[in-house]
Amino acid sequence: MAIEAESVAALYEQLKRRLADVYPDAELFLKAELAYEINRLKKEKNALILGHNYMEPALYHAVADLVGDSLELARRAAETDRPIIVFLGVHFMAETAKILNPDKTVLIPALGAGCSLAESLTADDVRRLKAAYPGAPVVAYVNTSAEVKAESEICCTSSNAARIVASLDAETVIFIPDQYLAANVAREVPDKTIVAWTGRCIVHEQFSVEDVTAARRQFPDVVVLAHPECPPDVVAAADFSGSTAAMIRFVREHPARRVILLTECAMGDNIAAENPDKEILRLSCRRCPYMQMITLEATLEALRELRYPVEVPEPVRSRARRALERMLAIA
Ligand code: 13P
Ligand code: SF4
């Protein structure tokens, strides 16, 4: 929930209590001014702002009405009755919100906010895979375009991928597009043959087992958390692997005093601000260049100018919706 404040000064004071370690003072005041104006416009236009866990701390703490992982945000997008949704995340997430809400205006503040996984394959690639493995159902990670979802039987996210694959009545499953997530799922569902694509997340592919070993050498009590888009040997070397929301819950609920996050770097700041009693280590700041395009300035312009509206033409939208709804019905 965005911090409520009756003035810029009040918002600045609240942000200072939470984010003084993240931003220098003058920058924090500027962030408070922008966030205050966004929240004023949000009310005026009756908009809902959804924010992914990778948003920078000022957006995450002071602007988004709801924050979450891909699955939680897809669910929230399906439930809202507000006429405008501003999606603080990357394009496939905003597109998912539009697929589920065709009559609403869904805005993404930066058109270039893509995803290396979504860009790694096309609907034609999926059709070719289906021809090569006749009868094998296609599970599309939500990090895909609407056209790719439309060619797929069912979607999944990082929080339900293994459950979705296990639910299918088929021995061979085509899992697209994340090669590493596919391998991590295959370990959890050993009775299925998984046909994978070769997509990778440009952030998570950078983590290595040496990173984990070095962290444990330096901090023997550290608890290592890895997103399932990391390479399988990294996930195997970690203590816990889960979606961004699952990692946030883990830090909140687990007694560990010191954790290391093998995921996008802004989320470390967001978790650290919420858990001042814990030490949140990061190897180095690996930001997603696409998520980083969503700024306070771009969000303010999005609300002012109602830009950039996401559109998904029929019949792609209704076919993609079927794949998303099958997922939402299962997990
Ligand atoms: P989550 O669904 O875990 O939030 O992951 C989305 C994503 O793009 C991670 O890189
Ligand atoms: Fe895509 Fe990776 Fe960025 Fe997530 S972190 S949006 S998977 S490029």
Side-chain angles (χ1 to χ4, degrees):
M1 274 310 254
I3 297 171
E4 293 278 333
E6 67 283 2
S7 65
V8 174
L11 182 57
Y12 164 70
E13 285 305 326
Q14 291 206 50
L15 284 181
K16 206 158 120 176
R17 279 197 283 280
R18 218 180 279 189
L19 302 178
D21 293 344
V22 182
Y23 302 108
D25 208 35
E27 196 183 338
L28 193 57
F29 193 80
L30 203 68
K31 302 265 179 201
E33 282 185 318
L34 286 163
Y36 186 81
E37 181 57 10
I38 292 169
N39 289 336
R40 193 191 64 73
L41 267 180
K42 173 173 75 180
K43 283 204 189 104
E44 190 180 295
K45 307 217 170 184
N46 196 18
L48 176 75
I49 303 194
L50 296 177
H52 187 259
N53 292 324
Y54 290 165
M55 288 299 103
E56 70 152 297
L59 285 171
Y60 181 92
H61 291 274
V63 168
D65 294 303
L66 298 161
V67 289
D69 65 9
S70 306
L71 181 63
E72 291 171 336
L73 295 177
R75 283 196 188 286
R76 296 308 196 141
E79 288 163 8
T80 184
D81 52 10
R82 306 242 188 115
I84 300 173
I85 299 172
V86 183
F87 211 111
L88 308 184
V90 292
H91 192 269
F92 75 80
M93 296 177 176
E95 200 174 57
T96 299
K98 183 66 181 181
I99 292 167
L100 297 170
N101 293 280
D103 301 330
K104 301 205 162 101
T105 300
V106 177
L107 304 173
I108 179 143
L111 276 179
C115 167
S116 63
L117 285 170
E119 283 149 27
S120 72
L121 93 170
T122 64
D124 272 346
D125 294 323
V126 185
R127 284 189 280 269
R128 274 192 288 273
L129 279 169
K130 288 204 282 195
Y133 297 90
V138 178
V139 178
Y141 191 30
V142 278
N143 300 37
T144 44
S145 66
E147 290 76 13
V148 165
K149 289 182 178 78
E151 289 298 328
S152 308
E153 271 64 45
I154 189 164
C155 290
C156 74
T157 72
S158 60
S159 62
N160 61 21
R163 228 173 328 149
I164 296 287
V165 169
S167 77
L168 297 170
D169 185 19
E171 258 177 46
T172 302
V173 172
I174 301 170
F175 189 98
I176 52 170
D178 188 341
Q179 178 187 342
Y180 291 153
L181 180 61
N184 288 321
V185 167
R187 218 184 31 233
E188 283 187 62
V189 192
D191 57 323
K192 307 267 188 215
T193 302
I194 306 243
V195 176
W197 189 246
T198 52
R200 289 183 190 178
C201 163
I202 51 171
V203 176
H204 293 96
E205 71 173 351
Q206 296 178 45
F207 295 109
S208 69
V209 174
E210 290 68 47
D211 290 333
V212 179
T213 316
R216 292 202 197 278
R217 198 180 310 117
Q218 209 181 340
F219 303 102
D221 63 337
V222 76
V223 174
V224 181
L225 278 54
H227 193 275
E229 290 168 11
C230 290
D233 55 351
V234 172
V235 169
D239 299 299
F240 176 81
S241 177
S243 75
T244 55
M247 285 194 267
I248 289 173
R249 273 195 300 278
F250 183 98
V251 175
R252 212 177 275 150
E253 291 163 13
H254 195 275
R257 314 258 350 130
R258 185 181 267 154
V259 297
I260 190 158
L261 296 170
L262 306 184
T263 192
E264 211 269 356
C265 152
M267 198 174 97
D269 289 333
N270 292 331
I271 294 185
E274 279 171 356
N275 298 274
D277 54 325
K278 307 212 169 175
E279 192 179 350
I280 313 295
L281 304 174
R282 271 146 287 167
L283 291 165
S284 56
C285 189
R286 290 178 179 146
R287 277 229 73 187
C288 170
Y290 304 110
M291 293 279 184
Q292 200 168 9
M293 287 179 193
I294 309 297
T295 59
L296 286 151
E297 288 82 353
T299 304
L300 183 55
E301 282 312 301
L303 268 169
R304 264 190 195 140
E305 308 291 331
L306 294 187
R307 75 181 193 197
Y308 296 96
V310 176
E311 298 299 342
V312 186
E314 294 290 353
V316 167
R317 190 201 65 81
S318 43
R319 291 175 64 215
R321 181 181 185 131
R322 215 174 37 206
L324 281 166
E325 283 182 341
R326 282 192 190 125
M327 168 187 80
L328 292 172
I330 290 179

